[in-house]
Amino acid sequence: MIYIVTAIYAEAQALITYFGLKKDISQGRFQVFGNQEAEICLVISGTGEIAAAVAVADVCRAAGERDFLMNIGICGGIQGEKASLKGSNTFPEEIMDCSERSGEGKAGLCLDGEKGICTKGDIFLCNKIREQATGRTFYPDILYRHGFAEAQIITGGKPYVKEKREEDFFLYDMEAAAVYQAGAYYFGPHQMSFLKVVSDYGDAGKVTPEQVKGLMERNVEKIAEFIVCLRNIGKEDVRTGTFMVQGEVEKLCRDMHCSSTMASTVSQYVRYGMLSGVDIAAVREEMYREGKLPCRDRKEGKLCLEEFKKRLL
Amino acid sequence: MKNSKNDYYNPPFSHVYVEREVREHPRTRRILERLPGATVIETEHYKDVFNRKKQNSILQSRARSLIIGAKHGNLIYKGAPVCQSFGNENFYYTSCVMNCIFDCEYCYLKGMYPSGNMVVFVNLEDIFREVEGLLAKGPLYLCISYDTDLLAMEWLTGYVEEWIRFVEEINSKEQNFQRQIENRLTIEIRTKAAGSRLMQEHFQAKSPVLGVIYGFTLSPQKVIEACEHKTPALEQRIACVARAVERGFRVRLCFDPMIYFRGWEQWYDEMLEDIFSQVDMEWIEDVSVGSFRISQDYLRKMRRQQPCSAVVQFPFCNTGGVYHYPKELTEKMEGYMVRALKKKIPVEKIFLWEDEEI
């Protein structure tokens, strides 16, 4: 499942339309939109850190290790109009020059060859998030390839005003740090992504919901592509990560009259046997044929287990 | 963004986190120059990234990030009981790099570290100073490539070369000729690295240094394919060993850990046959033999993270908090290896981790 948190409806509208999400009327506190087939659950949290944290806690209770949490929405561009990404950094220019970072095999690319210039409507994947009030910094993993520029974001309690320039940061919002902190109760850093679209340079009050909707629509296909990728990655891990030995173990334990310690040994041997290519069923059937299974009692079961172990290794 | 299965992940070191303290350090700059495509992210402390909660080191190892920082506090550690000292009294190890570029399923680093990312410490001089302090008490045997594979990272860090220069400098200061021969400082560089670049740039271009031992870990090709991901093939490792020996470098062969799989005798037989036919065993420094063993805490974590890895899911026995193969199997595997090696190398050069010396 991909859990998406947006602050306002206008930020979510393009995604709701794109994925055909339906409002979940069983949810009371927040507006929640979902689509079981698309495996998406989108919650509109309201603006600010408290609202974002509560919304995450409200919808992500059932999240598992193959799910993802995304915070998608608008943000302010701290460094001003047409600021360069490298300008927000203190590293040597030759290292930070985004214009050279293009082509296959590279990550953290700047958007569409725009050489790191930030303009309204540009979208960024956040690789560093700082909470302004506490100074705490968070680092979501950037494990997967993506087509976004990357930037650092600071989360504040009030709308951004131009005078308060944060030299080391490029973007400003009011939710990301809270989404990360609340999300950390349910997700690892490899499961959280933060996508932000620049809507203003410190005059957020002038941005209308219609404008927000338009900015998100401009980026919706790119965002959707990333969401689909994350969903596929989650499924891929299901295929490679799950290993069912339960049925095999239960039958053997029953027929060997296993104690819990013996059962755990059987389970480990069966798991190892299956992974190393041993035909467990053949070994088991042979022992039934030879009359060693089922056992009459635990004493006989212990001897049988030793025999089973020998045959598996 | 790619949709084919293998293309979801970023390439290694696509992201580099740099501690603010060392951002202008010459070694930081050198490393970053060698990663021109990387996204650089500044951090206050390496632990802010490396020690985050709930990291998935298996997924991270598919798209490893690099963290550059400075190491403070204790920089040199006393050798652990599960490690071989090769008869050295003052046996220590140090970690100027944490985590490994290779991806061996059985590696204890997967159980020890909270992250799959790699950390490179740039304040080598501080480590060198601590080594000099310890040398005042007597000769020192120091393993510099335990919690990483330093030689495999040489293209990026150049640390092996720096360590070798340091060893040369330290040992040349010794006025007493006999002690000079004995070496005040001996370092071991444990590695699975190999390949033509390493051979040319290291074992071809450089001269051997007496205080430096290269410990090559060798495994049967079947084991390499099954669980030593991203490591060079056995053939390449043997070629590298042969060249190093030929050029007079001090080479240790490490059959440690020996990994059990069905038919292991045949695989190990084939491996030894290849080694004996290509390497002049007479010039091998010594040999280390040990079957796989690991602390119970590490194995639990590794089993949780790698549910489909046969090598970590083996039903091990637990003795005093250390998981190992059943005693009978351990003796069979190690005994087999020692017997085979005895035919080619004097017994005093064969070291078993448990008994130290046979």
Side-chain angles (χ1 to χ4, degrees), chain A residues 105 107 128 139 141-143 145 150 184-185 236 268 271 311 313, chain B residues 5 7-11 15 42 52 54 60 260 262 307 313:
Chain A
K128 178 175 173 180
Y139 303 88
D141 273 334
I142 312 286
L143 296 184
R145 287 173 190 265
E150 287 182 28
Y185 283 86
E236 182 198 45
Q268 198 61 45
R271 178 178 284 272
R311 292 187 187 202
L313 291 185
Chain B
K5 193 180 168 187
D7 272 339
Y8 286 132
Y9 291 86
N10 277 322
H15 290 72
E42 191 175 277
R52 288 169 298 162
K54 289 190 188 167
Q60 284 172 335
Y260 170 82
R262 275 196 159 193
Q313 295 299 341

PDB file of all heavy atoms in Angstrom, chain A residues 105 107 128 139 141-143 145 150 184-185 236 268 271 311 313, chain B residues 5 7-11 15 42 52 54 60 260 262 307 313:
ATOM      1  N   GLY A 105      22.558   5.995 -15.061  1.00  0.00           N
ATOM      2  CA  GLY A 105      23.412   5.550 -13.964  1.00  0.00           C
ATOM      3  C   GLY A 105      23.685   6.612 -12.932  1.00  0.00           C
ATOM      4  O   GLY A 105      24.374   6.396 -11.970  1.00  0.00           O
ATOM      5  N   ALA A 107      22.185   9.412 -10.113  1.00  0.00           N
ATOM      6  CA  ALA A 107      20.984   9.725  -9.333  1.00  0.00           C
ATOM      7  C   ALA A 107      21.029  11.181  -8.930  1.00  0.00           C
ATOM      8  O   ALA A 107      22.031  11.856  -9.102  1.00  0.00           O
ATOM      9  CB  ALA A 107      20.937   8.843  -8.099  1.00  0.00           C
ATOM     10  N   LYS A 128      16.797  15.722   2.631  1.00  0.00           N
ATOM     11  CA  LYS A 128      17.144  16.153   3.989  1.00  0.00           C
ATOM     12  C   LYS A 128      16.022  17.072   4.474  1.00  0.00           C
ATOM     13  O   LYS A 128      15.613  17.982   3.751  1.00  0.00           O
ATOM     14  CB  LYS A 128      18.486  16.896   3.950  1.00  0.00           C
ATOM     15  CG  LYS A 128      18.961  17.441   5.275  1.00  0.00           C
ATOM     16  CD  LYS A 128      20.369  18.036   5.106  1.00  0.00           C
ATOM     17  CE  LYS A 128      20.845  18.757   6.338  1.00  0.00           C
ATOM     18  NZ  LYS A 128      22.194  19.320   6.164  1.00  0.00           N
ATOM     19  N   TYR A 139      16.761  12.227   7.481  1.00  0.00           N
ATOM     20  CA  TYR A 139      17.286  11.860   6.164  1.00  0.00           C
ATOM     21  C   TYR A 139      16.526  10.656   5.605  1.00  0.00           C
ATOM     22  O   TYR A 139      16.854   9.518   5.950  1.00  0.00           O
ATOM     23  CB  TYR A 139      18.778  11.507   6.268  1.00  0.00           C
ATOM     24  CG  TYR A 139      19.629  12.605   6.848  1.00  0.00           C
ATOM     25  CD1 TYR A 139      19.815  12.716   8.226  1.00  0.00           C
ATOM     26  CD2 TYR A 139      20.236  13.550   6.023  1.00  0.00           C
ATOM     27  CE1 TYR A 139      20.587  13.730   8.780  1.00  0.00           C
ATOM     28  CE2 TYR A 139      21.018  14.571   6.564  1.00  0.00           C
ATOM     29  CZ  TYR A 139      21.190  14.650   7.943  1.00  0.00           C
ATOM     30  OH  TYR A 139      21.966  15.656   8.480  1.00  0.00           O
ATOM     31  N   ASP A 141      15.889   7.748   3.092  1.00  0.00           N
ATOM     32  CA  ASP A 141      16.761   7.077   2.122  1.00  0.00           C
ATOM     33  C   ASP A 141      16.323   7.422   0.704  1.00  0.00           C
ATOM     34  O   ASP A 141      15.125   7.518   0.425  1.00  0.00           O
ATOM     35  CB  ASP A 141      16.629   5.544   2.283  1.00  0.00           C
ATOM     36  CG  ASP A 141      17.576   5.008   3.340  1.00  0.00           C
ATOM     37  OD1 ASP A 141      18.607   5.629   3.585  1.00  0.00           O
ATOM     38  OD2 ASP A 141      17.263   3.931   3.906  1.00  0.00           O
ATOM     39  N   ILE A 142      17.315   7.574  -0.177  1.00  0.00           N
ATOM     40  CA  ILE A 142      16.979   7.744  -1.603  1.00  0.00           C
ATOM     41  C   ILE A 142      17.547   6.508  -2.306  1.00  0.00           C
ATOM     42  O   ILE A 142      18.619   6.551  -2.911  1.00  0.00           O
ATOM     43  CB  ILE A 142      17.596   9.038  -2.190  1.00  0.00           C
ATOM     44  CG1 ILE A 142      17.326  10.243  -1.284  1.00  0.00           C
ATOM     45  CG2 ILE A 142      17.082   9.284  -3.606  1.00  0.00           C
ATOM     46  CD1 ILE A 142      15.918  10.789  -1.281  1.00  0.00           C
ATOM     47  N   LEU A 143      16.850   5.404  -2.189  1.00  0.00           N
ATOM     48  CA  LEU A 143      17.378   4.139  -2.720  1.00  0.00           C
ATOM     49  C   LEU A 143      17.017   3.932  -4.186  1.00  0.00           C
ATOM     50  O   LEU A 143      17.740   3.259  -4.916  1.00  0.00           O
ATOM     51  CB  LEU A 143      16.806   2.945  -1.929  1.00  0.00           C
ATOM     52  CG  LEU A 143      17.154   2.816  -0.451  1.00  0.00           C
ATOM     53  CD1 LEU A 143      16.582   1.533   0.116  1.00  0.00           C
ATOM     54  CD2 LEU A 143      18.656   2.843  -0.252  1.00  0.00           C
ATOM     55  N   ARG A 145      15.764   4.827  -8.141  1.00  0.00           N
ATOM     56  CA  ARG A 145      15.944   5.794  -9.221  1.00  0.00           C
ATOM     57  C   ARG A 145      14.688   6.637  -9.354  1.00  0.00           C
ATOM     58  O   ARG A 145      13.586   6.164  -9.132  1.00  0.00           O
ATOM     59  CB  ARG A 145      16.178   5.057 -10.545  1.00  0.00           C
ATOM     60  CG  ARG A 145      17.543   4.434 -10.650  1.00  0.00           C
ATOM     61  CD  ARG A 145      17.613   3.601 -11.912  1.00  0.00           C
ATOM     62  NE  ARG A 145      18.813   2.798 -11.933  1.00  0.00           N
ATOM     63  CZ  ARG A 145      19.933   3.173 -12.549  1.00  0.00           C
ATOM     64  NH1 ARG A 145      19.988   4.318 -13.189  1.00  0.00           N
ATOM     65  NH2 ARG A 145      20.983   2.392 -12.523  1.00  0.00           N
ATOM     66  N   GLU A 150      16.724  16.831  -6.598  1.00  0.00           N
ATOM     67  CA  GLU A 150      16.687  16.629  -5.151  1.00  0.00           C
ATOM     68  C   GLU A 150      17.007  17.933  -4.436  1.00  0.00           C
ATOM     69  O   GLU A 150      17.778  18.746  -4.951  1.00  0.00           O
ATOM     70  CB  GLU A 150      17.700  15.559  -4.737  1.00  0.00           C
ATOM     71  CG  GLU A 150      17.274  14.167  -5.133  1.00  0.00           C
ATOM     72  CD  GLU A 150      18.263  13.107  -4.679  1.00  0.00           C
ATOM     73  OE1 GLU A 150      18.949  13.321  -3.666  1.00  0.00           O
ATOM     74  OE2 GLU A 150      18.347  12.075  -5.357  1.00  0.00           O
ATOM     75  N   ALA A 184       7.939   7.609  11.179  1.00  0.00           N
ATOM     76  CA  ALA A 184       9.008   6.757  11.705  1.00  0.00           C
ATOM     77  C   ALA A 184       8.496   5.724  12.719  1.00  0.00           C
ATOM     78  O   ALA A 184       9.184   4.762  13.016  1.00  0.00           O
ATOM     79  CB  ALA A 184      10.097   7.621  12.333  1.00  0.00           C
ATOM     80  N   TYR A 185       7.294   5.935  13.237  1.00  0.00           N
ATOM     81  CA  TYR A 185       6.697   4.921  14.128  1.00  0.00           C
ATOM     82  C   TYR A 185       6.259   3.689  13.339  1.00  0.00           C
ATOM     83  O   TYR A 185       6.134   2.603  13.887  1.00  0.00           O
ATOM     84  CB  TYR A 185       5.483   5.497  14.860  1.00  0.00           C
ATOM     85  CG  TYR A 185       5.848   6.410  16.002  1.00  0.00           C
ATOM     86  CD1 TYR A 185       6.089   7.759  15.781  1.00  0.00           C
ATOM     87  CD2 TYR A 185       5.979   5.912  17.292  1.00  0.00           C
ATOM     88  CE1 TYR A 185       6.429   8.608  16.829  1.00  0.00           C
ATOM     89  CE2 TYR A 185       6.320   6.739  18.348  1.00  0.00           C
ATOM     90  CZ  TYR A 185       6.557   8.086  18.111  1.00  0.00           C
ATOM     91  OH  TYR A 185       6.901   8.903  19.154  1.00  0.00           O
ATOM     92  N   GLU A 236       7.772  -6.688  -5.541  1.00  0.00           N
ATOM     93  CA  GLU A 236       8.968  -7.479  -5.844  1.00  0.00           C
ATOM     94  C   GLU A 236       9.536  -8.071  -4.561  1.00  0.00           C
ATOM     95  O   GLU A 236       9.900  -9.230  -4.491  1.00  0.00           O
ATOM     96  CB  GLU A 236      10.025  -6.591  -6.502  1.00  0.00           C
ATOM     97  CG  GLU A 236      11.276  -7.345  -6.897  1.00  0.00           C
ATOM     98  CD  GLU A 236      12.457  -6.434  -7.127  1.00  0.00           C
ATOM     99  OE1 GLU A 236      12.689  -5.528  -6.304  1.00  0.00           O
ATOM    100  OE2 GLU A 236      13.143  -6.636  -8.123  1.00  0.00           O
ATOM    101  N   GLN A 268      13.637 -24.789  11.738  1.00  0.00           N
ATOM    102  CA  GLN A 268      14.900 -24.291  11.186  1.00  0.00           C
ATOM    103  C   GLN A 268      15.466 -25.274  10.155  1.00  0.00           C
ATOM    104  O   GLN A 268      15.966 -24.880   9.106  1.00  0.00           O
ATOM    105  CB  GLN A 268      15.907 -24.050  12.319  1.00  0.00           C
ATOM    106  CG  GLN A 268      17.063 -23.153  11.927  1.00  0.00           C
ATOM    107  CD  GLN A 268      16.630 -21.753  11.505  1.00  0.00           C
ATOM    108  OE1 GLN A 268      15.806 -21.124  12.152  1.00  0.00           O
ATOM    109  NE2 GLN A 268      17.156 -21.280  10.389  1.00  0.00           N
ATOM    110  N   ARG A 271      13.309 -25.112   6.966  1.00  0.00           N
ATOM    111  CA  ARG A 271      13.616 -23.876   6.239  1.00  0.00           C
ATOM    112  C   ARG A 271      14.951 -24.019   5.493  1.00  0.00           C
ATOM    113  O   ARG A 271      15.047 -23.725   4.302  1.00  0.00           O
ATOM    114  CB  ARG A 271      13.689 -22.698   7.212  1.00  0.00           C
ATOM    115  CG  ARG A 271      14.044 -21.381   6.573  1.00  0.00           C
ATOM    116  CD  ARG A 271      14.055 -20.276   7.604  1.00  0.00           C
ATOM    117  NE  ARG A 271      12.713 -19.877   7.968  1.00  0.00           N
ATOM    118  CZ  ARG A 271      12.009 -18.940   7.321  1.00  0.00           C
ATOM    119  NH1 ARG A 271      12.538 -18.326   6.296  1.00  0.00           N
ATOM    120  NH2 ARG A 271      10.794 -18.628   7.694  1.00  0.00           N
ATOM    121  N   ARG A 311      19.347 -36.749   7.753  1.00  0.00           N
ATOM    122  CA  ARG A 311      18.968 -36.925   6.351  1.00  0.00           C
ATOM    123  C   ARG A 311      18.920 -35.599   5.583  1.00  0.00           C
ATOM    124  O   ARG A 311      19.066 -35.581   4.367  1.00  0.00           O
ATOM    125  CB  ARG A 311      17.607 -37.627   6.256  1.00  0.00           C
ATOM    126  CG  ARG A 311      17.676 -39.064   6.729  1.00  0.00           C
ATOM    127  CD  ARG A 311      16.385 -39.799   6.481  1.00  0.00           C
ATOM    128  NE  ARG A 311      16.450 -41.123   7.109  1.00  0.00           N
ATOM    129  CZ  ARG A 311      15.692 -42.133   6.744  1.00  0.00           C
ATOM    130  NH1 ARG A 311      14.815 -42.000   5.756  1.00  0.00           N
ATOM    131  NH2 ARG A 311      15.800 -43.296   7.347  1.00  0.00           N
ATOM    132  N   LEU A 313      20.942 -32.896   6.132  1.00  0.00           N
ATOM    133  CA  LEU A 313      22.248 -32.243   5.918  1.00  0.00           C
ATOM    134  C   LEU A 313      23.115 -33.037   4.934  1.00  0.00           C
ATOM    135  O   LEU A 313      23.071 -34.222   4.881  1.00  0.00           O
ATOM    136  CB  LEU A 313      22.984 -32.069   7.242  1.00  0.00           C
ATOM    137  CG  LEU A 313      22.389 -31.048   8.217  1.00  0.00           C
ATOM    138  CD1 LEU A 313      23.287 -30.888   9.430  1.00  0.00           C
ATOM    139  CD2 LEU A 313      22.189 -29.689   7.565  1.00  0.00           C
TER     140      LEU A 313
ATOM    141  N   LYS B   5      13.312  -5.021 -13.583  1.00  0.00           N
ATOM    142  CA  LYS B   5      13.538  -5.439 -12.202  1.00  0.00           C
ATOM    143  C   LYS B   5      14.820  -4.879 -11.565  1.00  0.00           C
ATOM    144  O   LYS B   5      14.812  -4.397 -10.451  1.00  0.00           O
ATOM    145  CB  LYS B   5      13.556  -6.964 -12.166  1.00  0.00           C
ATOM    146  CG  LYS B   5      13.464  -7.534 -10.774  1.00  0.00           C
ATOM    147  CD  LYS B   5      13.496  -9.033 -10.854  1.00  0.00           C
ATOM    148  CE  LYS B   5      13.697  -9.633  -9.489  1.00  0.00           C
ATOM    149  NZ  LYS B   5      13.892 -11.071  -9.545  1.00  0.00           N
ATOM    150  N   ASP B   7      16.592  -2.357 -12.335  1.00  0.00           N
ATOM    151  CA  ASP B   7      16.902  -0.950 -12.508  1.00  0.00           C
ATOM    152  C   ASP B   7      16.213  -0.038 -11.510  1.00  0.00           C
ATOM    153  O   ASP B   7      16.287   1.171 -11.645  1.00  0.00           O
ATOM    154  CB  ASP B   7      16.548  -0.512 -13.932  1.00  0.00           C
ATOM    155  CG  ASP B   7      17.698  -0.744 -14.882  1.00  0.00           C
ATOM    156  OD1 ASP B   7      18.840  -0.849 -14.414  1.00  0.00           O
ATOM    157  OD2 ASP B   7      17.464  -0.825 -16.071  1.00  0.00           O
ATOM    158  N   TYR B   8      15.529  -0.563 -10.559  1.00  0.00           N
ATOM    159  CA  TYR B   8      14.832   0.282  -9.585  1.00  0.00           C
ATOM    160  C   TYR B   8      15.808   1.025  -8.692  1.00  0.00           C
ATOM    161  O   TYR B   8      15.527   2.099  -8.196  1.00  0.00           O
ATOM    162  CB  TYR B   8      13.925  -0.564  -8.691  1.00  0.00           C
ATOM    163  CG  TYR B   8      12.663  -1.052  -9.357  1.00  0.00           C
ATOM    164  CD1 TYR B   8      12.267  -2.385  -9.257  1.00  0.00           C
ATOM    165  CD2 TYR B   8      11.855  -0.177 -10.074  1.00  0.00           C
ATOM    166  CE1 TYR B   8      11.100  -2.838  -9.862  1.00  0.00           C
ATOM    167  CE2 TYR B   8      10.690  -0.621 -10.682  1.00  0.00           C
ATOM    168  CZ  TYR B   8      10.319  -1.948 -10.571  1.00  0.00           C
ATOM    169  OH  TYR B   8       9.171  -2.380 -11.154  1.00  0.00           O
ATOM    170  N   TYR B   9      16.951   0.407  -8.447  1.00  0.00           N
ATOM    171  CA  TYR B   9      17.857   0.942  -7.429  1.00  0.00           C
ATOM    172  C   TYR B   9      18.897   1.902  -8.015  1.00  0.00           C
ATOM    173  O   TYR B   9      19.368   1.708  -9.127  1.00  0.00           O
ATOM    174  CB  TYR B   9      18.565  -0.202  -6.707  1.00  0.00           C
ATOM    175  CG  TYR B   9      17.607  -1.003  -5.852  1.00  0.00           C
ATOM    176  CD1 TYR B   9      16.880  -2.048  -6.392  1.00  0.00           C
ATOM    177  CD2 TYR B   9      17.393  -0.674  -4.521  1.00  0.00           C
ATOM    178  CE1 TYR B   9      15.972  -2.768  -5.624  1.00  0.00           C
ATOM    179  CE2 TYR B   9      16.491  -1.378  -3.755  1.00  0.00           C
ATOM    180  CZ  TYR B   9      15.786  -2.425  -4.303  1.00  0.00           C
ATOM    181  OH  TYR B   9      14.885  -3.120  -3.550  1.00  0.00           O
ATOM    182  N   ASN B  10      19.249   2.897  -7.212  1.00  0.00           N
ATOM    183  CA  ASN B  10      20.310   3.822  -7.598  1.00  0.00           C
ATOM    184  C   ASN B  10      21.649   3.084  -7.647  1.00  0.00           C
ATOM    185  O   ASN B  10      21.830   2.101  -6.923  1.00  0.00           O
ATOM    186  CB  ASN B  10      20.417   4.952  -6.565  1.00  0.00           C
ATOM    187  CG  ASN B  10      19.396   6.045  -6.824  1.00  0.00           C
ATOM    188  OD1 ASN B  10      19.122   6.366  -7.969  1.00  0.00           O
ATOM    189  ND2 ASN B  10      18.832   6.592  -5.769  1.00  0.00           N
ATOM    190  N   PRO B  11      22.579   3.591  -8.443  1.00  0.00           N
ATOM    191  CA  PRO B  11      23.907   2.962  -8.430  1.00  0.00           C
ATOM    192  C   PRO B  11      24.605   3.220  -7.097  1.00  0.00           C
ATOM    193  O   PRO B  11      24.220   4.139  -6.366  1.00  0.00           O
ATOM    194  CB  PRO B  11      24.638   3.665  -9.580  1.00  0.00           C
ATOM    195  CG  PRO B  11      23.901   4.922  -9.798  1.00  0.00           C
ATOM    196  CD  PRO B  11      22.478   4.706  -9.375  1.00  0.00           C
ATOM    197  N   HIS B  15      24.626   8.789  -3.569  1.00  0.00           N
ATOM    198  CA  HIS B  15      24.432   9.813  -2.546  1.00  0.00           C
ATOM    199  C   HIS B  15      25.567   9.747  -1.521  1.00  0.00           C
ATOM    200  O   HIS B  15      25.914   8.668  -1.053  1.00  0.00           O
ATOM    201  CB  HIS B  15      23.087   9.631  -1.842  1.00  0.00           C
ATOM    202  CG  HIS B  15      21.936   9.955  -2.742  1.00  0.00           C
ATOM    203  ND1 HIS B  15      21.559   9.139  -3.788  1.00  0.00           N
ATOM    204  CD2 HIS B  15      21.121  11.033  -2.792  1.00  0.00           C
ATOM    205  CE1 HIS B  15      20.554   9.709  -4.438  1.00  0.00           C
ATOM    206  NE2 HIS B  15      20.261  10.850  -3.858  1.00  0.00           N
ATOM    207  N   GLU B  42      24.931  17.436   3.272  1.00  0.00           N
ATOM    208  CA  GLU B  42      25.701  17.716   4.479  1.00  0.00           C
ATOM    209  C   GLU B  42      24.956  17.198   5.720  1.00  0.00           C
ATOM    210  O   GLU B  42      23.734  17.267   5.794  1.00  0.00           O
ATOM    211  CB  GLU B  42      25.913  19.222   4.610  1.00  0.00           C
ATOM    212  CG  GLU B  42      26.914  19.576   5.678  1.00  0.00           C
ATOM    213  CD  GLU B  42      27.180  21.071   5.702  1.00  0.00           C
ATOM    214  OE1 GLU B  42      28.007  21.542   4.910  1.00  0.00           O
ATOM    215  OE2 GLU B  42      26.543  21.755   6.516  1.00  0.00           O
ATOM    216  N   ARG B  52      20.318   5.631  12.062  1.00  0.00           N
ATOM    217  CA  ARG B  52      18.857   5.834  12.078  1.00  0.00           C
ATOM    218  C   ARG B  52      18.153   4.529  12.425  1.00  0.00           C
ATOM    219  O   ARG B  52      18.658   3.440  12.139  1.00  0.00           O
ATOM    220  CB  ARG B  52      18.377   6.303  10.698  1.00  0.00           C
ATOM    221  CG  ARG B  52      18.758   7.721  10.351  1.00  0.00           C
ATOM    222  CD  ARG B  52      18.497   8.013   8.890  1.00  0.00           C
ATOM    223  NE  ARG B  52      19.297   7.149   8.032  1.00  0.00           N
ATOM    224  CZ  ARG B  52      19.052   6.919   6.758  1.00  0.00           C
ATOM    225  NH1 ARG B  52      18.026   7.485   6.179  1.00  0.00           N
ATOM    226  NH2 ARG B  52      19.827   6.118   6.060  1.00  0.00           N
ATOM    227  N   LYS B  54      15.265   1.545  12.284  1.00  0.00           N
ATOM    228  CA  LYS B  54      14.472   0.801  11.291  1.00  0.00           C
ATOM    229  C   LYS B  54      15.048   0.823   9.875  1.00  0.00           C
ATOM    230  O   LYS B  54      14.300   0.796   8.899  1.00  0.00           O
ATOM    231  CB  LYS B  54      13.050   1.354  11.235  1.00  0.00           C
ATOM    232  CG  LYS B  54      12.208   1.039  12.456  1.00  0.00           C
ATOM    233  CD  LYS B  54      10.773   1.425  12.181  1.00  0.00           C
ATOM    234  CE  LYS B  54       9.937   1.319  13.429  1.00  0.00           C
ATOM    235  NZ  LYS B  54       8.652   1.957  13.292  1.00  0.00           N
ATOM    236  N   GLN B  60      19.440  -1.313   1.470  1.00  0.00           N
ATOM    237  CA  GLN B  60      20.468  -0.270   1.335  1.00  0.00           C
ATOM    238  C   GLN B  60      21.703  -0.786   0.615  1.00  0.00           C
ATOM    239  O   GLN B  60      22.357  -0.045  -0.114  1.00  0.00           O
ATOM    240  CB  GLN B  60      20.859   0.251   2.718  1.00  0.00           C
ATOM    241  CG  GLN B  60      19.807   1.187   3.310  1.00  0.00           C
ATOM    242  CD  GLN B  60      20.106   1.532   4.757  1.00  0.00           C
ATOM    243  OE1 GLN B  60      20.781   0.785   5.450  1.00  0.00           O
ATOM    244  NE2 GLN B  60      19.595   2.657   5.221  1.00  0.00           N
ATOM    245  N   TYR B 260      29.408 -24.530   4.730  1.00  0.00           N
ATOM    246  CA  TYR B 260      28.861 -25.860   4.437  1.00  0.00           C
ATOM    247  C   TYR B 260      27.761 -25.779   3.379  1.00  0.00           C
ATOM    248  O   TYR B 260      26.862 -24.941   3.463  1.00  0.00           O
ATOM    249  CB  TYR B 260      28.268 -26.500   5.704  1.00  0.00           C
ATOM    250  CG  TYR B 260      27.482 -27.750   5.390  1.00  0.00           C
ATOM    251  CD1 TYR B 260      28.141 -28.973   5.217  1.00  0.00           C
ATOM    252  CD2 TYR B 260      26.106 -27.716   5.214  1.00  0.00           C
ATOM    253  CE1 TYR B 260      27.430 -30.113   4.881  1.00  0.00           C
ATOM    254  CE2 TYR B 260      25.396 -28.855   4.879  1.00  0.00           C
ATOM    255  CZ  TYR B 260      26.057 -30.045   4.710  1.00  0.00           C
ATOM    256  OH  TYR B 260      25.362 -31.175   4.371  1.00  0.00           O
ATOM    257  N   ARG B 262      25.826 -28.945   0.622  1.00  0.00           N
ATOM    258  CA  ARG B 262      25.899 -30.362   0.218  1.00  0.00           C
ATOM    259  C   ARG B 262      26.983 -30.510  -0.835  1.00  0.00           C
ATOM    260  O   ARG B 262      27.045 -29.731  -1.783  1.00  0.00           O
ATOM    261  CB  ARG B 262      24.556 -30.806  -0.364  1.00  0.00           C
ATOM    262  CG  ARG B 262      23.611 -31.229   0.731  1.00  0.00           C
ATOM    263  CD  ARG B 262      22.460 -32.009   0.194  1.00  0.00           C
ATOM    264  NE  ARG B 262      21.885 -32.796   1.288  1.00  0.00           N
ATOM    265  CZ  ARG B 262      21.034 -33.759   1.119  1.00  0.00           C
ATOM    266  NH1 ARG B 262      20.667 -34.124  -0.094  1.00  0.00           N
ATOM    267  NH2 ARG B 262      20.555 -34.420   2.140  1.00  0.00           N
ATOM    268  N   PRO B 307      15.567 -13.924   5.058  1.00  0.00           N
ATOM    269  CA  PRO B 307      14.820 -15.159   5.305  1.00  0.00           C
ATOM    270  C   PRO B 307      15.069 -16.231   4.242  1.00  0.00           C
ATOM    271  O   PRO B 307      14.807 -17.399   4.492  1.00  0.00           O
ATOM    272  CB  PRO B 307      13.357 -14.698   5.295  1.00  0.00           C
ATOM    273  CG  PRO B 307      13.358 -13.423   4.541  1.00  0.00           C
ATOM    274  CD  PRO B 307      14.685 -12.781   4.785  1.00  0.00           C
ATOM    275  N   GLN B 313      20.437 -19.437   7.294  1.00  0.00           N
ATOM    276  CA  GLN B 313      19.328 -20.211   7.864  1.00  0.00           C
ATOM    277  C   GLN B 313      19.756 -21.624   8.259  1.00  0.00           C
ATOM    278  O   GLN B 313      18.938 -22.427   8.707  1.00  0.00           O
ATOM    279  CB  GLN B 313      18.154 -20.281   6.860  1.00  0.00           C
ATOM    280  CG  GLN B 313      17.503 -18.937   6.546  1.00  0.00           C
ATOM    281  CD  GLN B 313      16.885 -18.248   7.750  1.00  0.00           C
ATOM    282  OE1 GLN B 313      16.616 -18.885   8.767  1.00  0.00           O
ATOM    283  NE2 GLN B 313      16.668 -16.934   7.665  1.00  0.00           N
TER     284      GLN B 313
END
